[in-house]
Structures are given as C-alpha cells and as structure tokens.
Amino acid sequence: MLKSRWITFLLLLISIGCLVKATMLIDPLNNMRHQHELDTIDPFEDEEMAVDFRLPLPVMSIFRPLAINYLWMRSEELKDAGQYFDALHLSRFICELQPNIDSVWQFLAWNMSYNISVGVPTPAERWRWVQAGYELVRDEGLPANPDSGLLYWQIAWIFQHKMGANQDNFHRYYKWRLAYDMSLLLTKGTNAELEAMIALPLRWDELAVDPEIARFDAMFAEIVKNDSEGKTYEDLLRNISNNLGAFPQPFQDYLKTANGWKAYETVDLFKRTKQLRDVWRLDPERMLMLNQKYGPRDYDTGEKISLNWQHPAAHAIFWASIGLELESVQLIEYNQLIRVIYQSLQQLFHYGKITMYTDEVPMDYIYREKGQDNVDEYIFNDVPVFVSQDLRMFPIAYQAVMMVLDQRIAEGGQYETFQGASINMLIAGINHLYFSGYQKQAAYYLGWGKKRYPQNENFHAPSLEAFIQKFLKRDIEDKLLSTRDARNYIEGTFKNAFRFYAYNDDENYSIQMQFATKLRKLYDQEYSRVDEQPRMQFPPVKEMIREALKSMLIDRTVKNGTKNLLMQRLEIDQPKLYDELKAFLVEYEQKEAQKKEPEKQESGT
C-alpha cells in the first residue's frame, strides 16, 4: 500500500516536471512559428470570446490538442442527437482553436450545409443551415485564410451544387431565397447598374457632401425615427417606389422634384451597393468583369449582357474566379475551381432562368403543430419560383464544354463519354435555336458540328431544315409511338408550352410550340395512314392547342397557381380564347357537381 502511494507521488512529480518543461518551450515554439510564418490567431485574446472560454493561455497551449479532440467528438455527438445549435456553437469554437487550418473550416461548412441541413424537416430551417455553411467560410474562414484555394472551392461548391443543382429536395426553395435577396439589391440586373455602383464613392461621408443627398438623408432619417413599426432605413427606402403615398406629404412633394428623385435614386443605389459589398462580400467590379467574360450576348443586338446574379451558379463563378487567381492555389484545387466554373455555366444554360411569379416574401420559419415532427416536403417545396432554360447562355456554356473536352483529349485521358454528351448538347442547342426563331445561329452551329465531327451522321443533313426534320423523325421513331401515343405526346408538348407561357417565358414557349406544331405536321406527312378510322386521326393544330389548354386547366396535377397565371395572361393577350375557356370551366364544374349529387344522396348528406 505504501509502495503504491510512493509510485503515485513519483508519477505526479514527473507530470508536474513535464508540465513545467512544456511551459518553458512555449516561447521558443512561438518564435519558430513566427520565423516560418505559421503564426496562429489566439482565440483567448479576443474580447468577443465568451468569458467561459477565456482560460490561462499556457494551460490551453499545452492541452489544446486534447481539447480539440474532445470538442470534435462532442460536436458529432450533439449533431447525432439532433442538438444542432449546440453543435454549431462547438463547431465555431473548434474553428477559433484552429483558425489557420483551412480544412477545419471546410469540413465544418460542408457539415452544416450538407449533413445538419438534411436533418431538419422544413425548407426554411434547412436554408438556415445551408446559409450558415457558406457564411462560415465567407465571413470567418476566408479572412483567417485569405490564400486558401480549398475554402474558395468550398463556398463555390455550396452555391453550385447544393443550391444550383437539383440534388436536394428543397433546391427550389434555396433558389427562391437567393433570387429574392438579390432582387432587392440588383433591381435591374444589368451591366449599367453595376457600372453605376462602381462609380459611387465607398464612404457615406463622401456621398453626403452633395447638399441634395444631405437634405434627403435628413428628411428620411426623421421618417425612420418616427416609424411606428420600427422599420430600418433600408426597409423604408425600398418602400418608396412601391408605396410613396404612405410617406408624409412634404416628403412626397420633395420626391416629385427632379433633384429630390435623383437624390433618392442615388441614396438607394449607395445602400444597395454597401449591402452587396459588406454583407454578401460581392465586389461590383469583379461582377462586371465576369459579366464581360462569361455573360451571354443578345441574339438580336449582339450586346453583351449580365449573368443572372439571382442564380446560385453565378455566385459559384464569382468565388471560384477569386480562388483561381491565388498564387498559392494547388493543382488539385485549381482543377476543382475550373470544374465549378464550367459546370456553373452549363447550369446557367439548362436552368438559368428564374422567374418569381408572386410578391410573396420568404419566411424564416415555418410553423408546425405541436408534436408534428414529420412534414410533407412536397407541400413545403411549393414555392413561387419557376426555373427554365436560358437559351442565351448556350454559346458560352457550349464553349466551356468544348474547352474541357479539348483539354481531356490533349492530356490523353478518357473523353468518349464526355464527347458524346457535348454532341447531344450541340444537337439540342441547334434545335432550340431553330424553334426560337434564331435560324442563322442554328445554321452556324450545324456547320460547326459538320467540321468538328465529319464522321458523325447526325450532322450529315444537307440543310438546316433537313436536320430539323431528321431530328423530329428520330424523336417519333425512338419512342415507337402509336397514333394514340403520338397524339398524347404532341398535346403534352402543347401543354408544356403553355406552362412556359403562364410564367412569361416566351422563349421556351416558342420552342415548345414550334416543336409540337412541326411534329404534328410531320406525323401527317410521314406516319398517318389513309385507312385509319376518323376517331384515330389527328385534329387540326388549332383544335389540338385548344384541347391541350382545356386538358391543362382541368388537370389536378397542374398547380392552381399555374392555371391562374395562365388565365390571367390569356385574358390580356387573347380575350376571345379566354372567354371560351372560362365558359368551358363553368360547364365542366357543373358536370362535376352533377356527378357528385348521387353520391351525396346515397350518403344521406
């Protein structure tokens, strides 16, 4: 027993000796870090850190690895137990302990955006975790590691893959949140707007030198001070253009003058620019440069136009472009960043057009009944956003694809699958350009395809019309359509066209309408049989269009919001057709009510 105590005492003395020796090595180790430029930010000297974590520096320097290991394990336990906010708190503390290790920030951002986010049931809650992931990198990780290509890739990947792609069931909600926020900051979405932002001074005091700006600010600051709802300066500023009548009469009178309205527009632009720079960390100069480099051209005017900054893919390009300029970027990181840009350009072609068809404001929370842990994600994902193809992005997206293909061929890697995908993209682009009325551009890409792929029979057509005819025939023959199936397919294409029409997407409406119309005519020329019964023959195109519209309006799988938008637009554009369809719906509803009457009588109600 006595011997055991002496051994314990001896071990304790040895431990104290090691602790003292380790403490003596702190300064030499710090000097070596400084010589090799490996200095770390000390979280315990930060006044904003919680008092509970402000422990003696020498003690924490020695036991920091143990503390970090424990915090990692504890953070995972909290995440698995569903205590996500506690896990977030510990994650941030881990980053503070290892601020200059970029892989720590990268892992925790990925964990929030991908792992923790899918553990919550509603889109608003999930969005908060996706947002927390990219904000952790953007606002804290990158300032601590400004030369990290890994972190620039991670934030770009969250925008491009988590939000821009369709892997997450709530991806449309993420697109809505980003599009809504950007619509408040970039109200025009043009290069001219970005140029105006760049021309503004960076500081308010430099802008307020203008007496008209100072006068506007004094009047408006008083309005903000007296606002009964406690709205911010920026919130009330946004209300001016939509609800000027709600403001005091003297202020209204001032804005009706040329100087007053100009002052308002300047202040509004300055506030939006400041939020773009300070909150979103988006630099208008870089945005304009990327528009000029990757932005599409208007097919009619040839003018270079802006990328769609309401789309996550544009933000992915922004962050990836910065990472590519780093001198310290590693080869693997460089390739990842390049890939993000090319994939984002393809996204902007295939799904780059975002239409918000209501003025609904996104909610930060979705309320559930007490005890309601499970929710129907499809109901909550019914957001007022319509995503469709942006044909203007085809040339730049296809160019990006070909650059990657040529690089793979030059490196001697496998490229056959990628080349097949690029050929399919080219064929689709030619067809869509043709059906949109851009025959000149379609003919150009057909000629290019013949030169690039002389052995590919897809491009052997003698003319553009023959190429389109060949494509339509293949579409029918590949599907092995019977007369009944072909009719349903064509009517379905007409219905899809009117879905685009409802959301004011005239470009894709034209593509679908022209495609269905030519398909209908081709079927008559090549596939219809004289001996077919009248009931099996196709009606005229106009009649098929009307039947498709009626079918769409009574189809329960089509959202009521889509039907309402369709009828609203038809009422303006085609009032006679609108009246006809309205009468059809009244008659249809009456018939449906008559069918249900016997059922009510049988049930005694």
Side-chain angles (χ1 to χ4, degrees):
M1 186 69 176
L2 184 62
K3 184 178 179 181
S4 177
R5 288 182 179 177
W6 275 106
I7 292 174
T8 303
F9 181 70
L10 180 61
L11 291 174
L12 181 62
L13 284 178
I14 293 173
S15 300
I16 293 173
C18 290
L19 181 62
V20 171
K21 183 63 177 175
T23 305
M24 295 170 62
L25 291 174
I26 290 175
D27 287 339
L29 286 172
N30 285 337
N31 290 333
M32 291 177 65
R33 286 195 186 100
H34 182 69
Q35 290 174 7
H36 295 282
E37 298 181 352
L38 296 174
D39 301 277
T40 59
I41 300 170
D42 190 349
F44 304 103
E45 294 180 356
D46 188 350
E47 291 301 322
E48 296 182 0
M49 289 290 290
V51 177
D52 295 341
F53 292 132
R54 202 174 293 129
L55 304 176
L57 180 58
V59 176
M60 279 304 297
S61 297
I62 297 166
F63 294 108
R64 182 180 296 203
L66 294 175
I68 290 170
N69 286 340
Y70 169 75
L71 291 173
W72 273 110
M73 290 186 292
R74 181 60 180 155
S75 175
E76 286 300 303
E77 289 174 1
L78 291 171
K79 185 194 77 174
D80 293 340
Q83 300 179 33
Y84 300 125
F85 287 97
D86 292 333
L88 172 63
H89 182 74
L90 280 185
S91 297
R92 290 187 177 280
F93 188 43
I94 292 169
C95 290
E96 294 289 348
L97 287 171
Q98 301 174 292
N100 300 110
I101 302 180
D102 57 0
S103 58
V104 174
W105 296 95
Q106 184 264 335
F107 173 80
L108 291 172
W110 169 81
N111 200 30
M112 290 178 194
S113 294
Y114 281 85
N115 288 344
I116 297 180
S117 67
V118 297
V120 293
T122 66
E125 293 170 294
R126 192 175 291 189
W127 163 252
R128 294 179 68 193
W129 286 105
V130 174
Q131 187 180 32
Y134 73 73
E135 285 182 348
L136 180 72
V137 174
R138 184 192 69 192
D139 300 340
E140 300 177 54
L142 283 172
N145 303 272
D147 297 323
S148 171
L150 178 65
L151 292 186
Y152 280 108
W153 170 81
Q154 182 59 64
I155 186 172
W157 181 249
I158 291 174
F159 277 105
Q160 186 256 314
H161 181 262
K162 184 67 176 180
M163 298 163 61
N166 58 1
Q167 304 298 314
D168 192 305
N169 289 337
F170 292 147
H171 71 95
R172 292 179 67 248
Y173 184 86
Y174 307 151
K175 291 178 175 69
W176 179 36
R177 291 299 300 255
L178 182 66
Y180 178 81
D181 288 343
M182 286 295 107
S183 70
L184 301 179
L185 301 181
L186 298 170
T187 57
K188 297 177 181 176
T190 62
N191 288 333
E193 183 177 32
L194 288 173
E195 290 169 355
M197 287 179 164
I198 294 169
L200 288 172
L202 295 177
R203 291 165 39 193
W204 172 256
D205 56 353
E206 295 176 0
L207 186 71
V209 171
D210 186 330
E212 285 298 335
I213 299 293
R215 180 184 176 189
F216 174 90
D217 181 58
M219 294 178 69
F220 199 67
E222 190 65 25
I223 293 172
V224 174
K225 180 180 176 181
N226 296 327
D227 183 62
S228 58
E229 298 179 8
K231 290 183 178 179
T232 65
Y233 192 107
E234 288 76 14
D235 287 339
L236 284 174
L237 200 61
R238 281 194 289 268
N239 289 343
I240 290 178
S241 58
N242 298 325
N243 194 17
L244 181 58
F247 291 86
Q249 190 60 48
F251 183 71
Q252 293 184 44
D253 295 338
Y254 171 63
L255 287 188
K256 289 176 183 177
T257 65
N259 289 341
W261 189 255
K262 184 180 178 181
Y264 153 66
E265 289 184 323
T266 304
V267 171
D268 176 61
L269 185 65
F270 178 86
K271 292 292 184 181
R272 289 190 282 114
T273 306
K274 183 173 177 59
Q275 193 170 359
L276 200 68
R277 291 183 187 274
D278 297 350
V279 178
W280 288 88
R281 311 297 170 100
L282 294 173
D283 178 14
E285 288 85 355
R286 178 172 292 275
M287 294 170 73
L288 183 61
M289 179 271 290
L290 293 173
N291 284 349
Q292 293 165 348
K293 184 174 184 179
Y294 297 118
R297 287 190 184 276
D298 186 287
Y299 287 123
D300 296 320
T301 65
E303 178 189 0
K304 197 78 169 174
I305 51 183
S306 174
L307 291 167
N308 182 9
W309 290 96
Q310 293 185 6
H311 198 287
H315 293 252
I317 292 172
F318 179 91
W319 293 105
S321 71
I322 302 177
L324 287 172
E325 295 174 2
L326 298 175
E327 293 182 1
S328 58
V329 66
Q330 302 296 315
L331 179 60
I332 187 171
E333 295 168 351
Y334 182 88
N335 290 334
Q336 287 175 327
L337 291 164
I338 283 286
R339 193 175 299 118
V340 163
I341 289 181
Y342 291 159
Q343 290 173 348
S344 296
L345 289 170
Q346 290 182 66
Q347 275 187 2
L348 287 170
F349 164 53
H350 292 296
Y351 320 106
K353 194 177 291 185
I354 294 181
T355 305
M356 291 182 288
Y357 51 86
T358 72
D359 295 329
E360 182 180 347
V361 178
M363 300 291 291
D364 286 329
Y365 300 93
I366 294 179
Y367 297 99
R368 291 171 281 160
E369 297 294 331
K370 185 177 181 181
Q372 183 186 1
D373 293 328
N374 298 319
V375 294
D376 187 344
E377 63 184 34
Y378 297 103
I379 294 175
F380 284 119
N381 204 24
D382 186 14
V383 296
V385 160
F386 183 69
V387 181
S388 57
Q389 173 185 272
D390 188 351
L391 189 58
R392 300 172 307 172
M393 285 298 299
F394 170 73
I396 190 69
Y398 184 68
Q399 181 184 352
V401 167
M402 294 308 298
M403 288 176 65
V404 176
L405 176 60
D406 290 340
Q407 183 181 359
R408 289 195 179 187
I409 295 173
E411 293 172 353
Q414 293 184 348
Y415 65 89
E416 289 80 5
T417 303
F418 195 83
Q419 178 171 276
S422 71
I423 290 173
N424 290 336
M425 183 179 180
L426 178 59
I427 292 171
I430 294 170
N431 279 279
H432 290 176
L433 285 167
Y434 176 86
F435 290 127
S436 291
Y438 299 116
Q439 280 82 8
K440 182 180 178 181
Q441 288 80 1
Y444 167 80
Y445 281 103
L446 176 60
W448 193 93
K450 289 179 180 179
K451 292 179 183 177
R452 174 78 188 204
Y453 307 109
Q455 304 303 321
N456 193 305
E457 61 178 14
N458 286 301
F459 304 105
H460 287 176
S463 66
L464 178 60
E465 287 292 337
F467 175 86
I468 297 299
Q469 195 85 344
K470 181 179 180 180
F471 169 79
L472 292 171
K473 288 180 69 173
R474 189 178 68 181
D475 195 63
I476 293 175
E477 292 169 359
D478 285 352
K479 293 179 173 60
L480 299 174
L481 296 176
S482 65
T483 304
R484 186 188 303 277
D485 291 336
R487 177 171 177 171
N488 291 337
Y489 176 55
I490 295 170
E491 284 189 355
T493 307
F494 279 127
K495 285 172 66 175
N496 198 38
F498 280 105
R499 189 166 62 96
F500 289 112
Y501 177 82
Y503 295 107
N504 293 308
D505 189 348
D506 292 336
E507 182 177 83
N508 285 300
Y509 164 71
S510 173
I511 291 173
Q512 296 294 315
M513 286 293 288
Q514 293 297 321
F515 174 74
T517 302
K518 281 190 171 290
L519 202 62
R520 162 71 181 79
K521 292 179 180 177
L522 176 68
Y523 200 88
D524 265 358
Q525 294 168 3
E526 302 279 344
Y527 301 99
S528 62
R529 300 198 311 268
V530 226
D531 59 343
E532 280 184 333
Q533 297 294 326
R535 60 186 178 83
M536 296 296 293
Q537 294 175 359
F538 284 4
V541 170
K542 288 185 178 180
E543 187 177 330
M544 286 191 78
I545 291 174
R546 276 173 164 72
E547 289 302 315
L549 274 169
K550 291 175 182 178
S551 172
M552 183 177 178
L553 290 171
I554 62 175
D555 188 343
R556 293 183 179 180
T557 64
V558 179
K559 297 177 183 178
N560 288 330
T562 304
K563 297 175 185 178
N564 293 335
L565 290 170
L566 174 61
M567 291 297 284
Q568 288 171 15
R569 187 166 183 195
L570 285 172
E571 185 177 12
I572 298 170
D573 295 349
Q574 303 182 55
K576 289 183 179 179
L577 180 57
Y578 167 80
D579 291 337
E580 178 187 331
L581 293 173
K582 191 174 180 181
F584 162 76
L585 287 174
V586 171
E587 183 181 351
Y588 175 80
E589 289 168 2
Q590 289 173 350
K591 289 180 180 178
E592 289 296 302
Q594 289 172 4
K595 289 179 184 177
K596 293 178 181 178
E597 193 61 35
E599 297 176 7
K600 291 182 180 180
Q601 291 175 1
E602 288 177 10
S603 61
T605 58

